[in-house]
Amino acid sequence: MPSQSAAKVALVTGGASGIGRATALRFACDGASVVVADINANGGHEAVGMIERDGGQALFVQADVAKAADADGMVRAAVQRFGRLDVAFNNAGIVSAGVTTDALLEDDLDRTFAVNVKGVWLGMKYAIPQMLAQGGGAIVNTSSIRGLVSYGIQSAYSVSKDAVIGLTRVAALEYASQGVRINTICPGIIRTPGNVNYWKHFPQAEQDWLKLIPLRRYGTPEEIAEAVAWLCSDQASFVHGHAMLVDVGTTAE
Ligand SMILES: NC(=O)c1ccc[n+]([C@@H]2O[C@H](COP(=O)([O-])OP(=O)(O)OC[C@H]3O[C@@H](n4cnc5c(N)ncnc54)[C@H](O)[C@@H]3O)[C@@H](O)[C@H]2O)c1
């Protein structure tokens, strides 16, 4: 399809793996130049290599989204290399341990909030001034179905993803009249390297989670990438402050 992201510059955090990687490839497929930011250098370089092999332009920046200097650095790198920043997908995230609230460790809660909440806030903090200076842009932040419904464990993860929706709504109101559109994506359960790794440690979870999904199959990273690409495109010009569920009805029950 011709490129709705042609000549755009997109930044993807957590772009080394899973949903982030699939979305980086999708943006590139649409003609965007892509900055892949991640703590995982091997996966990040691999994603960049895949884009370049397909004839696209990409740059890897090693960054911990929970660190202000790194978040600032990834935006600066995008502007330095490609001259602007049109799209920011604040997607890097981690899960907290699958335990009840009393068993949750303080360090686990702190790190989950640092990456999932502070990381998204920092991503917006440094992308927005650049977008305002250019006259506009589009931001998508990754939440989860877990930001909307609870399954009774992983309170740190659930609350962090709830906070992403809240942060998005506040920022959406703040920049509504200035051309920066800001939305949240709430994926259902997706077969990503992160989940496959979790299922290695908790094999029963792979069967149990499937029962939560009306379609009885896990989503693919590409199915989320498709929705993110649309949210970031000019076709979504009237979509702002929205938390978009892509979960085949998992939360409809
Ligand atoms: N997979 C699912 O079922 C699912 C469902 C809902 C929401 N999500 C959310 O989607 C996002 C992507 O998850 P995924 O499933 O693709 O996971 P994944 O583990 O495959 O990929 C996550 C990426 O984020 C990177 N990352 C982690 N901490 C980072 C940090 N501090 N700084 C920079 N990069 C960091 C990892 O290195 C990895 O490359 C996460 O925010 C996750 O919470 C996933």
Side-chain angles (χ1 to χ4, degrees), residues 15-31:
S17 172
I19 292 168
R21 177 185 286 198
T23 308
L25 294 171
R26 180 65 171 74
F27 286 149
C29 189
D30 274 348

Side-chain angles (χ1 to χ4, degrees), residues 13-21 37-41 43-44 61-67 70 74 89-95 111 114-116 119-120 142-146 157 160-161 185-195 199 209 218-219 221 224:
T13 72
S17 172
I19 292 168
R21 177 185 286 198
D38 206 293
I39 42 171
N40 172 359
V61 178
Q62 189 159 30
D64 179 344
V65 295
K67 292 184 179 160
D70 287 11
M74 65 194 185
F89 182 32
N90 295 310
N91 162 77
I94 55 173
V95 289
R111 185 64 187 158
V115 177
N116 295 5
V120 166
T142 302
S143 176
S144 165
I145 50 171
R146 300 291 294 272
Y157 181 74
S160 74
K161 292 301 186 181
I185 188 92
C186 299
I189 311 174
I190 311 302
R191 183 177 289 282
T192 57
N195 273 342
W199 294 330
W209 294 1
Y218 291 113
I224 303 304

Side-chain angles (χ1 to χ4, degrees), residues 99-105:
V99 297
T100 52
T101 298
D102 66 297
L104 178 64
L105 300 177

